[in-house]
Amino acid sequence: MHHPLLLILVKVTIFSLMLAIGSNVSFEKMLSFWRKPALVFRALLAVVVLVPLVVILLLKLLNLPPEVMIGLTLLAASPGAPLTTKRSQKAGGGFQYSASLQLTLAILAVFFTPLTLEIFATLFENISQKVTILEVARQVMIVQLLPVSLGILMQKFAPKFAQKIAQPLTFIADNLFLVMVVLVCILGLPLFSRVWQLPLVAIAIMVIASLGIGHTLGRLDDDMRATLAIFCIARNFGLALFIAILNHVQQQVIPTLVAYLILGAFIGVPYSIWNKRRFAKTNPL
């Protein structure tokens, strides 16, 4: 499954998604979010510390195939899925908190992703042989930090232009992401039989534990609980796939990534429906 066009599509998709995030989310609102250190600490603790810790425990306790271990590692190291703000709103989450958190994770991924991969590579020999950490850091900076920074700069120095292109850019980026996901699912479904029984149990545990972590560490406000829960399970599929392609392990890990995408939706959607109904009951108009 070595498709040069797939790498180009993934690069363009991530770049456009990050540029759209930078162009849409106000930097001033993100600064307001950063001025609440307790809120930021709980969010980062949940998304970039506790979720990877759950994966470490799963890899230590369960005898998983090497390709599944690498796939789960890439997901654990890839926080801040591009469409998470929309997903969290469907679960009853607030826009400002989720948008600020999404932009924060997009910026910090250039640090957290290589660091998380380094920790996993130190703990697990199968992973240390497959993942080149320094190259990942360089590439994440190019496809993620650079476009986010460009979007923020456009908002700062050319606000009218940023406002004009924000909506069409988001539309293009979202559809590119959809095309990428569909293409990867088509390529990965013939290999999907490799992920069964124990790997599927491990993925389900990761999803459920991530929801629980986010729901527990969210503030008492129901909208923030839902937002953080969705952010915990919504790993950055595109970034994980990009790292896999960089390290020539996409053929091995795509079934795991697809399985996580499917199970994440299967478990996450009922949670979103339940939480939104619960929020509606406790906060009637």
Side-chain angles (χ1 to χ4, degrees):
M1 193 185 299
H2 299 286
H3 297 275
L5 290 178
L6 179 60
L7 176 58
I8 296 173
L9 175 61
V10 172
K11 279 186 174 182
V12 172
T13 300
I14 297 174
F15 194 96
S16 60
L17 284 166
M18 294 303 111
L19 183 60
I21 290 172
S23 302
N24 278 283
V25 182
S26 168
F27 187 65
E28 284 70 24
K29 289 182 179 179
M30 189 179 69
L31 288 178
S32 176
F33 172 65
W34 287 357
R35 293 189 187 104
K36 301 172 183 175
L39 195 63
V40 175
F41 174 77
R42 280 198 301 271
L44 295 181
L45 176 65
V47 178
V48 302
V49 177
L50 294 183
V51 171
L53 183 58
V54 167
V55 177
I56 289 173
L57 292 175
L58 287 173
L59 300 191
K60 288 288 187 181
L61 294 174
L62 302 178
N63 185 25
L64 296 171
E67 60 271 18
V68 176
M69 293 177 66
I70 297 170
L72 293 182
T73 295
L74 295 181
L75 288 166
S78 304
L83 305 182
T84 313
T85 295
K86 294 179 181 178
R87 289 182 62 182
S88 66
Q89 286 182 285
K90 290 180 180 178
F95 174 77
Q96 183 169 334
Y97 173 63
S98 60
S100 299
L101 179 55
Q102 186 170 31
L103 184 55
T104 299
L105 290 171
I107 293 172
L108 295 182
V110 71
F111 307 106
F112 284 126
T113 296
L115 177 61
T116 304
L117 289 175
E118 182 64 42
I119 292 172
F120 275 85
T122 302
L123 294 174
F124 303 99
E125 185 178 353
N126 287 334
I127 295 166
S128 64
Q129 296 173 349
K130 294 291 185 181
V131 180
T132 53
I133 309 299
L134 292 178
E135 179 63 14
V136 167
R138 187 177 74 86
Q139 292 290 342
V140 171
M141 185 175 295
I142 293 171
V143 301
Q144 187 135 324
L145 182 60
L146 176 61
V148 165
S149 301
L150 287 174
I152 293 172
L153 289 174
M154 280 195 298
Q155 280 202 66
K156 185 71 175 177
F157 298 106
K160 290 184 179 179
F161 177 72
Q163 186 177 8
K164 184 178 180 180
I165 69 167
Q167 188 170 350
L169 181 60
T170 300
F171 176 81
I172 293 170
D174 289 352
N175 281 279
L176 279 173
F177 181 76
L178 179 61
V179 170
M180 181 188 71
V181 170
V182 171
L183 178 60
V184 171
C185 287
I186 292 172
L187 295 174
L189 283 178
L191 306 172
F192 191 72
S193 59
R194 296 181 184 179
V195 184
W196 60 293
Q197 292 184 345
L198 189 59
L200 287 178
V201 170
I203 293 171
I205 292 173
M206 178 182 171
V207 172
I208 294 170
S210 299
L211 277 175
I213 289 168
H215 190 82
T216 302
L217 284 182
R219 285 181 60 180
L220 295 179
D221 310 59
D222 285 337
D223 61 337
M224 290 189 178
R225 284 184 180 274
T227 297
L228 193 52
I230 295 300
F231 266 89
C232 283
I233 66 167
R235 314 312 287 181
N236 195 331
F237 179 87
L239 182 58
L241 177 61
F242 179 60
I243 298 170
I245 295 174
L246 286 180
N247 290 276
H248 309 291
V249 293
Q250 68 272 20
Q251 185 168 355
Q252 296 97 307
V253 305
I254 278 180
T256 301
L257 301 185
V258 172
Y260 186 88
L261 200 65
I262 294 171
L263 275 179
F266 185 77
I267 298 172
V269 169
Y271 169 82
S272 298
I273 295 172
W274 167 78
N275 191 80
K276 194 164 187 177
R277 288 177 178 174
R278 186 173 65 89
F279 183 71
K281 288 180 180 178
T282 56
N283 297 272
L285 296 176

